[in-house]
Amino acid sequence: MYVKSIILDGFKSYGNRVEIKGFDREFNAITGLNGTGKSNILDSICFVLGITNLSHVRAGSLQDLVYKSGQAGITKASVTIMFDNSDKNQSPIGYDNQKDISITRQVVIGGKNKYLINGINVQNKRVTDLFCSVQLNVNNPHFLIMQGRITKVLNMKPPEILSMVEEAAGTKMYETKKQETQRTIEKKDAKLKELNDIIKEEISPKLSKLKEERSQYQEYQKVVRELENLVRLYVAWKYVAAEENSKNSKQLLEDVKNQIKEKQKKIVNNKKESQEIDKTIAEMSDRLDRESGGVLQVIEKELQEKEAIEAEIAAKTKSTQDNLKAHKSKHRLLENSIKDDEKAYISKKNQLDQMENSFGSLRSEMEEDAKLLTEAQDRFQAASSGLQVTESGQASLQDQLIAAKQSASEASTLISQHTMEKNHMTEKLKTLQKEASTSTLQYKKQQANIISIEKEVENLKNDLANIQYDENQLSEMQTRRNELVSSVRELCERSDILGSQLRRCNFQYKDPEPNFDRSKVKGLVCRLIKVKDQTYCMALEIAGGGKLYNVIVDTEQTSKGILKNGKLQYRTTMIPLNKIRGRQIELDKIRCAEQLVGPENGKTSLSLIEFDAYLKPAMEWVFGDSFVCPNLGICQKVAFHPKIQKRCITLDGDVVDPRGTLSGGSAIRGGSMLLRLEELKEVESQIEPIQNKLKKVECDIKSMRQTYDVYMNSKQKYERRHHELNAAKQQMQMTRGHQTHSEIEKLTSSIADLTKEIAELQKTHDESVKKGKELEERMKDLKGHRERQMKAVEDDLEKKKRKAKKSRDSWKNLEQDFETLKLEVSELQKSVDAGKEQLVAAEENLEQLSRQAEEFNTEWNRIKEIVKDIQLKIKEKKSEIAAKSREIKVITQKKEQLLASNSDIELEIKSLEHQIAKIQSDAASCEDKIKAMRNQYEWIASEREYFGEPGGLYDFKERDPRSAGHRISQLEQLKDKLGRNLNTRAQTLLGKEEEQHTAILQKKTKVENDRATLINTMKELDTTKRKAVIKACEQVNKDFGSIFSTLLPGAQAKLIPPEGMTVVDGLEVKVGFNGMWKEGLGELSGGQRSLVALSLILAMLLFHPAPLYILDEVDAALDLSHTQNIGNMLATHFKKSQFIIVSLKDGMFNNANVLFRTKFVDGMSTVQRTEQTNRR
């Protein structure tokens, strides 16, 4: 089967339908310039053969195979190959009767692949099977030789070359069979393992268990027989004893009844005597009541009423104080919140003021720049219109000249006026100076005094500024101190409350000896641990139990000293660290628990607490032997597991003991002690930092008071001297000399100003005259001046534009930030105002509550005084009554003795009555027992006559019934124990299990035999493969040398195993020239190495030749002489195969029978066929 023609339509560069026909049966070549589509013909063949890896045809997806990826209006790519099937020896399976086979593959953009064989749609697998049947598997293409494959062969190692030979020889089949056999062996191994596991884990344990159950059943039957014998003996003895007890009960009953009658007579006599005493006491009591007049009852009633009023007022006082405390806390929070808001408001307000100043200055700068820009634009317009531009505006040169002359004239006039005024002031000044000469000394003295005071005031002001003191800081520090004192007080109160609830957690002792080192006493266990998660507090408290209150010390000597001389308030257990030895739960039991219920559900108690490392022995002793689990179900799983057997505790405190006990029920009153202890530790940890802050604040206040005293002294001095300075200045201003000197100073200043103005006017006059002359000159050169002015105005306009833009941008950037900050300041102001309103309301509530608390407290104190007075009156009254009732007391005691005697006698009678009831009950019980035993044990009636007979079954002397009773109890326990797990079918089940065990052993023997057979099969496959590989190596080696000699005359090539290896271990290539063998391929040229690789590939292909071979530029690295020899080699060695070769070298394609040339015309590839007759 060979290619006759190829039709390409829309495939890659073949946009139009192109039919390539006339393929030669043997040797075809394709050539053309790069990019004309010659390799696309080979890609089309691979496409039809069903290639799946599109990278081999230089495409990323099927869409890339369509002409220009479908963007040129062509949406379908189709390739049809017509194969000549006249040679039936090479026909595909199922197509022997068809002369030609047409195979088409189409791909549509957005559609699916479609295969057609002879115009009929088929699945791609059918096409793949067709080509694989004639050794054209495109996904393992040994018939397709690319240039890269030649390079790859050159770099192969010996095992890789051997792998190529194995592939050519087709020994992959043996490898596949070997792998299948190996998988079957693995299955057999798995089956053997399964059978062994069944025998080990199921059958053997069952056999052992059933044998044990059979022994147990036999022992059970033995116990039942012995028990039945002993029960008859014991029941007979009990029956005889019951009959004797019944006879003895009647006589005992009569004796007890006689005793009761005697005691009842004695009670009657005592009652008569007691009634006479009652009459005497009644007469004496009447006299005492008349004397006391019932005053005591009235006072006691009044006391009850006052005490009720006191309790009510105390409750109101407590409630008011609690409300007052809560409102004070709320008031402090409001003050702190307002302070924070005010600080934030001041900060933001300062930022706003700064930004407002910047904003205003930027806006002014922007407006000024805009104004300057407008003026510059006006000057530019004026200059463009031909007007002369000046600083004062627009004007022509003539107008400017007139203005300059006018300015010079005005300046000259003003100079004359100011000169006259100056002369007048100078005359007046001289007159005043003469007048002031008489009072100069007094004026200077006053002035010197004022200057001295000013210097002193300035020094005091500087001293005051140098003192680092803020008048508000002291009050703030005092407020802060009061807050801290309040916080410490509240925390201490909370600590005291918790401490009173946890008295047992406070270990107090006195030093057992002088200079005792208290660090030897580490403390209570509960104080030395920290619970990692408070969820486990209840469970850990149950786990530790009373040991939580044990005291840990360093040695037993310390324990003895404290117990003996420490004056302890409670009985205390000591734990000396040098003696105590705790035990942790074994690691394998912990792992077993984690595997059983999960790591989170089975934690050891020791892992849930933190403590110092040196305390580990004591903590192991307290917590080391228990687990903590979430609920009771998990606890039972862990505790009763045979590999664990440890005490387990739930989070609610229920305890499961592996010995069988469960304890739990209601929660501990008051909650978990460890939780409260953690709260106490937290409170105690908060107290110390606040106390440190309080100490610091008090130190700051103390040091600030010293600064405060210095500051106030300096301030008083400064205010006093400042007042003296103001008084001296006012006094000096009222003198005539001061007024004269003031007027002289004013005239001197006015003369200086006039002199300055005259100089400025003179300057303006000179500039105006100079400008007039310049304007006259400009009028002579008007055109040049206008151009220079235009240039200056343009430059000034551009400069003003840039500056105006920059100012505007800066202002806009700041405007958004300014508005945001303004909004924040407004919100903060509202927050401060609202807080102040709330603060005022809170202060009013505080004031009202304070008044109520004071009123309630006053009333409470008043009522308490009244109650005390009433209690004192009652005490005095009772003393009076007690003194008068001593005689009554003596008589009453006698009566009480009689009544007590009667009570004792009555108790004795009741005891005797109980004894009678017991005797009657025992008698009845004996009768009932006799009847019950007769009913229960029917054999008693028939065997009663033998009870107690010597030498018989019921001989009570020879066989001890009491021992029999104890033995019965033991046998019943043993019977219950054996019967609890008794299996009465153990004998039957054991036989069945033994039969099953024998069957499985037979199955195991069969599997082992099958496995041995498979191993022998693998050995046979290895032997067959070895023979096939050796045969293939010989044939490939022969063809390799022949092909290489054809391509390179005078050269030899062969495949040999490397030194120390055999043919089946690996092969390497050896090359020789005229009998001289090279050490390695590195000694060959690039072309020679390519010929070696090509020869080796072709030799392997020749072992099982395919009907079609495709070579893509395999001669790229060959020179012309080598290329020419390839054609001769193909014609010599591959006579039954068709070759399609792509080449750019004349030496290659000139040897072909048919040559196809590709060209690129109008953006599409075309093909031209040339038949080379000289090769025929």
Side-chain angles (χ1 to χ4, degrees), residues 102-134:
S102 171
I103 300 178
T104 303
R105 185 179 181 184
Q106 292 180 358
V107 61
V108 181
I109 292 178
K112 295 182 178 179
N113 263 326
K114 185 165 70 171
Y115 287 91
L116 296 93
I117 298 179
N118 294 331
I120 300 172
N121 279 331
V122 294
Q123 294 182 349
N124 58 346
K125 187 177 185 306
R126 186 172 173 185
V127 175
T128 304
D129 293 341
L130 185 149
F131 286 121
C132 287
S133 68
V134 292

Side-chain angles (χ1 to χ4, degrees), residues 586-648:
E586 293 82 353
L587 190 59
D588 57 343
K589 294 187 177 182
I590 296 173
R591 289 174 180 166
C592 181
E594 290 177 349
Q595 291 173 359
L596 183 64
V597 297
E600 294 300 323
N601 294 330
K603 297 182 177 180
T604 62
S605 301
L606 199 63
S607 66
L608 299 174
I609 58 173
E610 295 177 352
F611 50 84
D612 293 333
Y614 69 91
L615 300 172
K616 188 175 180 181
M619 296 305 171
E620 288 177 352
W621 182 71
V622 176
F623 296 102
D625 64 339
S626 60
F627 283 97
V628 175
C629 303
N631 54 56
L632 195 60
I634 295 175
C635 277
Q636 290 174 337
K637 280 185 182 179
V638 176
F640 297 128
H641 193 276
K643 292 184 179 180
I644 300 175
Q645 293 289 310
K646 288 292 180 181
R647 193 168 64 122
C648 295

Side-chain angles (χ1 to χ4, degrees), residues 77 116 146 191 237 295 328 522 596 872 924 966 1070 1086 1091:
L116 296 93
M146 312 297 287
K191 186 66 176 177
W237 177 71
V295 175
K328 283 182 179 179
K522 311 305 177 183
L596 183 64
L872 186 61
H966 293 302
K1070 286 293 183 180
L1091 283 177

Side-chain angles (χ1 to χ4, degrees), residues 1021-1033:
L1021 286 173
D1022 288 338
T1023 304
T1024 306
K1025 176 185 173 184
R1026 180 184 180 88
K1027 291 177 181 179
V1029 169
I1030 292 172
K1031 181 180 177 182
C1033 285

